Amino acid sequence: MKYWNEEIETMPLEGMRKLQLENLKKTLEWVYGRIPLYKGKFDAVGFKPEDLKELEDLSKLPFTARTDLRDNYPFGLCAVPLAEVIRIHASSGTTGKPITGPYTQSDLDQWTECMARNLYAAGVRSNDICQNAYGMGLFTGGLGFHQGATRLGCAVIPISSGQTERQILVMQDFGVTVLLCTPTYALTIAERAEEMGVKIKDLPLRIGVFGAEPWTIAMRKEIEERMGINAMEAYGLTECGGPGMAFDCVAQNGLHVNEDQFIAEVIDPVTGEVLPLGEKGELVFTAIQRRAMPLIRYRTRDITTLRREECECGRTLIKMDKIYGRSDDMLIIGGVNVFPSQIESILLEVREIEPQYVIIVKKKGYLDQLHVDVEARQETYDAGPKKIAEVEKMVEGKIRGIIGIGMKIRLVPPKSITRSEGKAKRVIDERKM
Ligand code: DLL
């Protein structure tokens, strides 16, 4: 079998649009009658659920923002009584209240279905042994992957994140074939294994399914080479139901959106206008099968491009490019927009440094300045201050040449940057302190 769900994954566009329209109609009626926030938002623009005649009418509806979730914390956007809720996840959030994600039984079944499609497309099969090193708990990564891999019939090891040495021992002893974690934690595991003298390349490990944070194609290649695996991807967010909303396939050039469950749009983040396919902007999702908390036109703040094209894998599901970054991570330096991912791509091309870095934003007078601390490779560090200064200058030049702005690069000693066990913190904004 080539697909987990051939009918949906290869459905011709016309059929998919029909299915989406039916599901969207049901969902608009569902939220209008049950959630005061949505009744208010729809009434404010004079829209009744029965006004939906075609998919394009969706653009007449207002957006839902993260602040709507905060203002209605914890269950104000829940469309069913808590008696019908069987699971509640939450994203921690560094400031303010967490974001909650309630599920009914059918929401949980659909999530599992999405995760099964995701893992199957990544090449995972029932005879695989999956080490699930996503954080287990409130975070959707752990249980989402657990459910999906269990549905496939894999042997799942719910090890959760952390205790990296134990991860490596389990990987060796249990003959693990699939690793599930964030890309930066995969790098941490690869590095620790090298220090322990364990050659991951010689182990049976063959696939990783990574996600939950932005990572560049350069980072994917680095992980693939260091571990000798295919590094595949999962995308999703707590508010919309967790990982599995979009996933990549053998083509590894974009992620297919589970369109029977989510309608994706890309908008201009400033004007809110829907952008044509192929243009880069902010990703917006409408969940059309969820029942506990189906968000309408939810602004993710993730930046990408949508493409409808024939994929070599045969799936017809719309594709989104690898997430470029988050609009709230975008730095504006001297009027130039810079995403951390652009800096990462350049750093990963430099042999003399490790893929471990932190970007520090400072203010000097009225000007914003970027400083990047990046780890020297052991050989570079051992070669002494002259070599270090040379590499710093070379990296500064490369960045100026490609991004067009100057930033101060500082090579720091090997192993001096804190290793990630989940989502890495790559930017420290000292302007906000
Ligand atoms: O990170 C869900 C998830 C778990 C996805 C495991 C994939 C794997 P949150 O904690 O709510 O949910 O964070 C959601 O993480 O808006 C993106 O900014 C970012 N993100 C998630 N997956 C990717 C990815 C989970 N593949 C936020 N590439 C999203 C880039 C990602 N960013």
Side-chain angles (χ1 to χ4, degrees):
M1 147 175 126
K2 210 170 156 201
Y3 311 96
W4 179 257
N5 186 333
E6 181 160 357
E7 189 194 345
I8 295 286
E9 293 177 61
T10 62
M11 190 177 268
L13 181 58
E14 210 178 303
M16 180 55 76
R17 284 177 59 88
K18 204 164 152 258
L19 180 63
Q20 285 185 323
L21 187 62
E22 276 167 26
N23 286 336
L24 177 61
K25 223 181 190 111
K26 262 189 232 151
T27 303
L28 294 185
E29 279 161 12
W30 186 259
V31 298
Y32 187 77
R34 292 163 179 248
I35 307 176
L37 175 95
Y38 282 119
K39 178 159 192 322
K41 275 184 190 276
F42 292 12
D43 286 349
V45 294
F47 188 95
K48 294 261 178 300
E50 57 269 25
D51 296 337
L52 183 88
K53 301 286 182 243
E54 49 179 17
L55 280 178
E56 284 65 25
D57 292 334
L58 178 62
S59 65
K60 296 179 181 156
L61 287 171
F63 297 110
T64 308
R66 220 179 155 86
T67 45
D68 291 318
L69 294 172
R70 292 259 156 86
D71 297 346
N72 290 282
Y73 174 83
F75 304 122
L77 296 191
C78 195
V80 298
L82 279 186
E84 285 173 40
V85 168
I86 60 158
R87 175 89 62 78
I88 302 166
H89 281 280
S91 72
S92 46
T94 41
T95 51
K97 299 274 190 219
I99 295 290
T100 49
Y103 300 75
T104 62
Q105 180 64 58
S106 83
D107 294 340
L108 210 63
D109 293 344
Q110 269 145 17
W111 183 22
T112 306
E113 160 74 17
C114 285
M115 282 311 309
R117 291 181 201 165
N118 192 152
L119 289 165
Y120 201 84
V124 180
R125 296 293 179 268
S126 60
N127 53 357
D128 273 306
I129 303 173
C130 299
Q131 179 161 349
N132 187 358
Y134 280 106
M136 290 287 159
L138 279 181
F139 178 51
T140 51
L143 280 167
F145 276 87
H146 184 89
Q147 290 155 208
T150 302
R151 173 70 66 89
L152 255 60
C154 304
V156 191
I157 309 164
I159 190 167
S160 194
S161 62
Q163 301 199 48
T164 308
E165 280 187 23
R166 192 176 64 155
Q167 300 272 357
I168 294 158
L169 295 179
V170 164
M171 191 181 279
Q172 282 180 297
D173 294 350
F174 294 9
V176 167
T177 55
V178 175
L179 176 64
L180 311 169
C181 63
T182 60
T184 53
Y185 193 44
L187 259 191
T188 303
I189 293 177
E191 183 186 65
R192 190 76 199 99
E194 284 156 21
E195 288 164 2
M196 289 161 69
V198 174
K199 292 200 171 59
I200 292 193
K201 277 190 173 176
D202 296 344
L203 300 181
L205 192 71
R206 59 186 196 94
I207 296 172
V209 187
F210 306 124
E213 60 185 352
W215 55 313
T216 55
I217 292 169
M219 176 72 87
R220 178 206 288 256
K221 288 205 182 103
E222 169 88 21
I223 297 173
E224 289 189 328
E225 274 161 28
R226 269 169 107 149
M227 294 188 138
I229 61 172
N230 278 343
M232 307 299 288
E233 180 155 5
Y235 168 88
L237 48 156
T238 311
E239 311 81 302
C240 295
M245 295 169 69
F247 56 94
D248 71 351
C249 59
V250 283
Q252 284 194 324
N253 74 342
L255 288 84
H256 291 283
V257 177
N258 274 315
E259 275 190 287
D260 56 324
Q261 319 230 354
F262 300 97
I263 298 179
E265 302 171 275
V266 162
I267 61 160
D268 178 322
V270 179
T271 63
E273 186 194 332
V274 178
L275 296 176
L277 295 180
E279 280 190 31
K280 194 191 282 177
E282 179 180 340
L283 188 57
V284 168
F285 279 114
T286 300
I288 51 175
Q289 288 204 39
R290 304 194 76 223
R291 285 300 158 256
M293 198 176 81
L295 296 180
I296 310 298
R297 303 197 85 202
Y298 183 68
R299 292 187 62 159
T300 63
R301 298 197 276 189
D302 291 325
I303 306 292
T304 188
T305 302
L306 287 171
R307 286 182 277 131
R308 202 170 278 285
E309 61 185 26
E310 239 174 70
C311 184
E312 67 180 77
C313 75
R315 284 179 186 78
T316 48
L317 300 171
I318 199 165
K319 279 170 101 168
M320 60 183 226
D321 281 344
K322 216 165 166 7
I323 298 288
Y324 203 65
R326 290 180 59 86
S327 57
D328 39 11
D329 278 350
M330 188 177 83
L331 304 161
I332 305 178
I333 307 295
V336 179
N337 298 348
V338 186
F339 280 97
S341 61
Q342 291 171 286
I343 301 174
E344 178 177 297
S345 302
I346 299 172
L347 294 178
L348 264 83
E349 279 170 16
V350 180
R351 259 182 316 111
E352 289 88 345
I353 56 183
E354 289 287 341
Q356 300 287 349
Y357 65 92
V358 200
I359 299 165
I360 305 146
V361 197
K362 295 180 192 257
K363 199 152 197 102
K364 195 170 176 201
Y366 291 111
L367 292 180
D368 290 333
Q369 283 193 334
L370 281 191
H371 292 239
V372 183
D373 281 358
V374 55
E375 270 182 21
R377 272 198 206 256
Q378 194 64 51
E379 310 84 79
T380 316
Y381 197 69
D382 292 345
K386 194 162 162 261
K387 174 76 183 169
I388 290 176
E390 234 175 69
V391 176
E392 288 173 341
K393 249 192 128 92
M394 181 257 286
V395 177
E396 281 170 9
K398 256 179 174 285
I399 290 183
R400 195 172 311 106
I402 296 171
I403 308 183
I405 54 168
M407 55 187 85
K408 188 94 199 87
I409 303 293
R410 187 167 67 136
L411 259 59
V412 297
K415 315 275 182 303
S416 59
I417 290 177
T418 313
R419 295 298 183 259
S420 155
E421 292 185 350
K423 297 184 190 236
K425 181 149 179 53
R426 299 292 206 188
V427 181
I428 300 174
D429 195 340
E430 293 187 350
R431 293 171 308 180
K432 291 180 192 149
M433 288 178 178

